[in-house]
Amino acid sequence: MSSRHQQPQRRRLGVAILMVLAMPAAALAAGTAHAQEATPAATREGGESTDAARTLDKVEVTGSRIKRAEVEGPSPVVVITGEDIKKQGYSTVAEALQTLTQFNGDVVGGEFNASSTQPDASFLNLRGLGVGYQLILLNGKRMTEYAASSGAASTGVSVGSIPAVVVERIEVLNGGASAIYGSDAVAGVVNIVTRDNWEGNHLRVRGGTTTRGGGDTGQFQFSGGKAWDRGSVTYAFEQLNREPIFSWQRGNIIRTGMNAPGNAGTDRPTFGLDTALMDAGYNDYYWLGKDGRLLYAGDVDPATAATALEHTCRNMGRNYFPMYGSSSAALPNACGNANYYDGDTLANKHDKTSAYVSGHFRFSDDVEGYGQLLVQRSRSEAAHRTSMYLYNAGSAYDVEIGQFEYWRALDPNDIGGAPMRVWEETTISANAGVRGTIGDRFDWDASVSLSRDEMKSSWKQLITDRVHRYLFGEALGEVDGAPLYRIDPAVLFGRVSPEQYASMVDTIHNRNLSQTAQAQFVLSGSLFALPAGDVEMASVFEASHSKYELRPDRRSLSTYAGADKTFNHTGVSGGGPRDRYGAGVEFRIPLLQRLVANVAGRWDKYDDISDVGDATTWQASLEWRPFDSLLLRASRQTSFMAPNIMWLYGEPVTNYDDYITNYYLCRLDGLDLTTTAGLAQCATDHHESAWYVEGGNNSRLHEETATSNGLGIVWDVTDKLSLSADYWEIKLKGKSQYLDTATLMSENASCLLGRRVDGTAVDPNSGACAIYLAYVQRDAAGGVTEYFLDAINQAGVRTKGVDASLRYAWSWGAYGDFSLNAGYSRTLAYDVQVAAGDPWQDYMGCSYSATYSCGDQPLAFRSRTNWTVGWNRDDWTASVYGYRNGARVNYQASAKLPSYVQWNAGLSKKITDNVRLGVDVTNLFDRYGPKDASMTWYPFYQNIYGIQGRAVYVNLDIDF
């Protein structure tokens, strides 16, 4: 028998959790407790007492600060244990949470986030509302926001900093809870509870790899603890190392080079990142003639121009080729390179070291001190592709051809490999407090906590003066304030060696910080007795101070005027403080023997540059148990979300965008942007450059408010079979939405023309069009001269859906014990109103390509399902886990992609009483997401499905 065990108090809590899950490997479905467990032990009619196992200590469950014996309450709570994470075949908390059925929204981060500035971010997006609309707690305390930001629209709390070894359980509340926790608890609350009060030692060693290459993983976990009469200490250590996965290692789905769609099997390749030299009016191209001089395509016949184009491409390197605007085009019109993406890291390389310690000490029978400390250091590496694209940054002139525009995509194979970016992150989560009892009636808990995330990053970045000096030589003077050069076509269209590339770059360093400190006091207990039972109360008082700092290398700031300014990279700077004060109270009132009401109210005060001021939220719910095995529940609550702190304090960024597609002019020309050929022609004919301003101390944003309703049932059909079903709806007012370039340009064009690309009518006088038209400035010919990117408060979002779960356990005698747990979630509607008075728009069928539909795709999948089948027999344990993602709209919003199913499996055997050996296989059948023929640009694959493929791991667990 293992020496590891928990103390009695923790055991009783473990019993409650096991009764919720009722199986050794609970799925990530909506786990439901027995409804009959909601009733404390009572006496049967014949005087016989109920099963003693149903007499539970009162515990605090996410969604309420009132301790109770029932795990199921007025709102559904999904429980995932640390053992579940192992038995599902996953290595990290983020991997497990990503398969929650309620997690149905598109999300920034995860395994495909390698090329941005958020290397290890793992964000949740419940109900498709966004990454900031679920409150993330660690042991009931707020976690600070992720410190790395790629822009003003990309902040939120990441669960990537929580090592799996410290997790005892994760409780996911589905529904609003601002009346209990304050801001952000709009779509739900995720509370990660760490190990405590543990005894014994456990060692786990895990190693594995993907069957298609890359992603080699090694994981070492050590955990243990010691308990004595007056206290305990629990400790854990984890080391996780994972190798990257590169684009070239997933050529089966992430196709580049001549194997890319549009290139494979044809002598008219149409895909590649182009290189070109044009006159400033974008009238025609200059190519390198065989005599070494520039040839202007507009001065010669098409065949001669095509010959010069081919010579130019071959001169630049072996992977450059003449590229056609469409498969039917007679002659090429650009010089392309499809290997630009070869070195992309689809999954980052990362090394993480985590240490954890917690403990408590009983000073007396009524007072106990406690604390937890979690520290993680990580190092991540990923390809930095923006340092592989060259152009003239701003206006430039040549003594012979006048004003010109030049751009070029470098080939990573020519410069010694794609440049890598390195991040070093340190996260600290600390919590200390004192708790006790007053008489036999009230519990109190006073605590302070600190959550801190610091991110340092560095990489080789192109430097503006070095790039211009290499490409164009020394400036000979100025024309209208712009530099005048005598360009050398042999350089512009010649090979770039590793040494020449190194002469254009320098190392830059950045530092970001996010921190939240909080003090909290909670008082709970019974107030007085009613005929049906005691009225219970919990009150909370909180104060916190947060700060957010982005400190990029000064050479990357838009205000930096030095010649050594970074090239093709503008750092986002800014930061500021936020103070928050909150007070709340909740009551649990037994109206009848089997009918309980829950009411709560809270007031929050915010002190920052926004107009939030204060907010008041409330919550009311009913729990009715007509008989022991049935629970009916209903709830209504309000919630709110304070403006994103980065949107408030991010400094404005002024930058030059050298690649804008002017959809307005394309549509005036009659191009059909619902076709691949039309899009390609649009990008060729109306490629523009313009200055833009992004962000900038947006104090105009106000808080978002929401009302949510829930109605559900939990039914224990038998002791072995339990069912649940819940209906939910959320109505959100003032949702903050950031305008990205593609969305803005597409919506602006639709407003100018009065219709979308699919023919849907658009009212140019609507409130939404007033926004889209004001954010883009054009000249008389329709060209873009300047545009602005910022967050706006949309009028409203409303969404609704259903969740369901099934749990069943049975025994087949000599064949062993079996269990089944399944969950299902479906979104029934998702409507958006951009501006007050505008019609509501159905966003259920939106594509994430802004050119085609809506400008936003909040839902990744309309429905998600998961299930686990567990088996135990003697020393053998096995589990099969699967999940299904429902249909998803394709890139062009013209059709639906089919559903996607993935299976994981695990098998283990106890070798001795203290040693277990097992194997896990994730993505058992090596499946990838459905092909999307409408996606005509890299990566030709909707990466929301994942790119890892099959992975095999071997596990060794030792108790001592």
Side-chain angles (χ1 to χ4, degrees), residues 90-155:
Y90 296 119
S91 302
T92 67
V93 170
E95 289 172 334
L97 286 174
Q98 284 172 356
T99 58
L100 279 169
T101 59
Q102 296 79 9
F103 186 1
N104 66 343
D106 269 345
V107 66
V108 177
E111 62 183 353
F112 203 87
N113 194 40
S115 295
S116 78
T117 58
Q118 298 174 305
D120 194 30
S122 298
F123 298 127
L124 292 180
N125 188 347
L126 305 181
R127 310 302 191 196
L129 292 178
V131 299
Y133 290 83
Q134 46 280 311
L135 179 62
I136 310 296
L137 304 174
L138 181 63
N139 295 315
K141 307 299 189 294
R142 285 177 174 265
M143 292 181 63
T144 196
E145 293 184 313
Y146 186 63
S149 175
S150 59
S154 305
T155 55

Side-chain angles (χ1 to χ4, degrees), residues 417-720:
M420 301 297 287
R421 186 169 185 168
V422 178
W423 295 265
E424 294 179 331
E425 182 181 12
T426 302
T427 60
I428 299 174
S429 294
N431 179 27
V434 180
R435 59 196 172 203
T437 59
I438 301 174
D440 295 327
R441 173 168 292 189
F442 293 104
D443 295 330
W444 61 271
D445 188 326
S447 64
V448 293
S449 61
L450 173 69
S451 179
R452 176 186 172 92
D453 186 22
E454 182 179 26
M455 178 76 73
K456 296 179 179 179
S457 59
S458 62
W459 66 92
K460 296 290 187 181
Q461 177 65 43
L462 293 167
I463 302 300
T464 301
D465 63 334
R466 298 185 185 186
V467 171
H468 286 176
R469 188 179 304 113
Y470 172 78
L471 290 176
F472 314 123
E474 296 292 342
L476 304 178
E478 291 185 354
V479 177
D480 296 331
L484 174 67
Y485 300 104
R486 185 181 300 279
I487 58 178
D488 182 354
V491 173
L492 297 186
F493 297 121
R495 295 174 181 264
V496 178
S497 68
E499 294 75 20
Q500 290 168 327
Y501 178 78
S503 70
M504 292 185 275
V505 299
D506 195 11
T507 303
I508 67 171
H509 301 273
N510 307 277
R511 175 184 176 272
N512 301 333
L513 175 68
S514 178
Q515 180 174 295
T516 298
Q518 175 178 287
Q520 182 184 88
F521 179 79
V522 178
L523 178 68
S524 63
S526 299
L527 290 179
F528 53 86
L530 291 177
D534 290 345
V535 174
E536 297 176 278
M537 176 276 297
S539 59
V540 60
F541 304 90
E542 293 177 344
S544 71
H545 175 75
S546 301
K547 62 179 180 180
Y548 198 90
E549 297 177 1
L550 298 180
R551 297 291 178 258
D553 192 300
R554 68 187 185 93
R555 293 173 293 176
S556 68
L557 296 176
S558 60
T559 55
Y560 184 75
D564 58 343
K565 182 180 178 65
T566 54
F567 179 90
N568 199 23
H569 168 75
T570 301
V572 179
S573 66
R578 168 179 282 166
D579 293 324
R580 180 178 62 86
Y581 311 94
V585 64
E586 58 178 308
F587 299 95
R588 183 174 174 84
I589 307 169
L591 302 177
L592 300 172
Q593 188 66 35
R594 295 181 176 274
L595 181 64
V596 177
N598 302 270
V599 294
R602 181 177 170 118
W603 170 82
D604 286 273
K605 169 69 175 178
Y606 282 79
D607 186 6
D608 53 33
I609 67 171
S610 73
D611 294 329
V612 173
D614 58 4
T616 302
T617 50
W618 58 268
Q619 176 178 309
S621 62
L622 287 174
E623 304 170 53
W624 180 39
R625 293 175 171 84
F627 46 89
D628 287 350
S629 62
L630 183 65
L631 166 64
L632 302 177
R633 58 191 175 197
S635 63
R636 182 176 177 85
Q637 51 265 323
T638 62
S639 53
F640 82 104
M641 182 171 174
N644 186 303
I645 193 169
M646 184 57 207
W647 293 355
L648 294 180
Y649 292 110
E651 295 294 333
V653 173
T654 302
N655 207 352
Y656 188 71
D657 188 345
D658 75 313
Y659 200 94
I660 300 172
T661 301
N662 194 330
Y663 300 123
Y664 171 65
L665 293 182
C666 293
R667 293 171 63 180
L668 281 183
D669 288 350
L671 297 177
D672 185 356
L673 300 189
T674 65
T675 66
T676 301
L679 277 176
Q681 194 65 43
C682 177
T684 300
D685 293 351
H686 294 292
H687 164 103
E688 296 183 7
S689 301
W691 289 93
Y692 70 91
V693 179
E694 180 177 9
N697 295 328
N698 193 345
S699 60
R700 301 180 303 279
L701 289 175
H702 56 76
E703 74 274 18
E704 307 168 41
T705 60
T707 301
S708 55
N709 301 306
L711 184 65
I713 180 173
V714 182
W715 181 26
D716 288 344
V717 183
T718 70
D719 288 343
K720 303 292 186 180

